């Protein structure tokens, strides 16, 4: 089991990576579906997003934490306990990839089931909403806030981002093809 101090220490990276992974991946799903493009485009753009954006976030997190450590080191503030830049980057990347894959899951599994194939966008939306709720609950539990309030806040933020992506895709659907 992870110690409470470790949970708190890397909570920001988990929440940051998980929310951004699920928001950006579901935004791709919603935008592609809104634009009435092929579900194959969801998979291509979704996996490209998972790995490129996940890497970008992880390396940005690493450089940010490394810069902060260098700043403190150069200012003789070595007594401050800073996070390990490699660990923060790894937590960000892993949470981005794992949680960010959730919106793609129905599209990956759609060839295996007619039901999933016919309802892949709806299933993706439901799974992503559940992911937002769980991320919010974990965040709330670790920081000592009410988990329902934290879950609803995360769901609302993710839902707004998904709606924006869908509306942009929907409004641009006529310019493709």
């Amino acid at each position: 089991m992870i110690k409470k101090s470790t949970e708190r220490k890397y909570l920001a990276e988990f929440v940051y990576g998980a929310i951004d992974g699920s928001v950006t991946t579901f935004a791709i799903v919603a935008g592609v579906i809104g634009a009435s493009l092929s579900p194959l485009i969801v998979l291509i753009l979704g996996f490209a997003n998972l790995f490129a954006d996940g890497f970008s976030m992880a390396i940005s997190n690493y450089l940010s934490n490394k810069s902060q450590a260098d700043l403190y080191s150069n200012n003789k503030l070595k007594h401050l306990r800073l996070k390990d830049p490699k660990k923060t980057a790894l937590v960000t990347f892993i949470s981005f990839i794992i949680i960010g894959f959730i919106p793609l899951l129905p599209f990956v599994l759609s060839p295996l089931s007619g039901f999933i194939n016919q309802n892949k966008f709806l299933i993706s939306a439901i799974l992503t909403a559940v992911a937002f709720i769980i991320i919010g609950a974990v965040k709330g539990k670790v920081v000592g806030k009410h988990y329902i309030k934290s879950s609803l806040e995360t769901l609302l933020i993710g839902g707004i981002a998904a709606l924006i992506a869908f509306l942009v895709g929907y409004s641009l659907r006529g310019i493709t093809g």
Side-chain angles (χ1 to χ4, degrees), residues 6-56:
T6 303
E7 287 176 348
R8 285 188 173 102
K9 188 171 185 177
Y10 296 102
L11 176 67
E13 287 76 20
F14 166 75
V15 170
Y16 179 56
I19 289 176
D20 197 54
S22 54
V23 166
T24 58
T25 307
F26 189 72
I28 287 169
V29 170
V32 169
I33 297 301
S36 301
L37 300 174
S38 164
L40 180 59
I41 302 297
V42 168
L43 291 173
I44 294 167
L45 295 179
F47 279 107
N49 171 72
L50 271 181
F51 292 99
D53 197 13
F55 176 78
S56 174

Side-chain angles (χ1 to χ4, degrees), residues 29-155:
V29 170
V32 169
I33 297 301
S36 301
L37 300 174
S38 164
L40 180 59
I41 302 297
V42 168
L43 291 173
I44 294 167
L45 295 179
F47 279 107
N49 171 72
L50 271 181
F51 292 99
D53 197 13
F55 176 78
S56 174
M57 285 188 60
I59 201 67
S60 296
N61 185 291
Y62 171 80
L63 292 172
S64 174
N65 281 288
K66 187 172 181 322
S67 297
Q68 186 176 20
D70 291 345
L71 176 66
Y72 287 128
S73 172
N74 291 338
N75 289 322
K76 298 182 172 80
L77 299 172
K78 295 178 182 180
H79 63 282
L80 294 174
R81 298 181 76 190
L82 300 172
K83 296 177 184 178
D84 178 344
K86 291 177 185 172
K87 287 182 181 176
T88 62
L90 185 62
V91 170
T92 301
F93 184 72
I94 289 172
S95 63
F96 188 99
I97 296 293
I98 291 172
I99 307 301
F101 177 72
I102 291 171
L104 296 177
L105 188 60
F107 291 85
V108 170
L109 297 178
S110 67
L112 304 177
S113 164
F115 176 79
I116 293 173
N117 188 45
Q118 291 176 349
N119 298 289
K120 55 189 166 276
F121 180 65
L122 176 63
I123 295 168
S124 179
I126 291 168
L127 291 175
T128 303
V130 170
F132 289 145
I133 290 168
I134 292 170
I135 294 163
V138 168
K139 179 184 69 162
K141 179 181 182 287
V142 173
V143 300
K145 282 187 148 183
H146 196 274
Y147 71 96
I148 292 176
K149 183 177 178 183
S150 183
S151 293
L152 292 176
E153 175 186 60
T154 306
L155 178 62

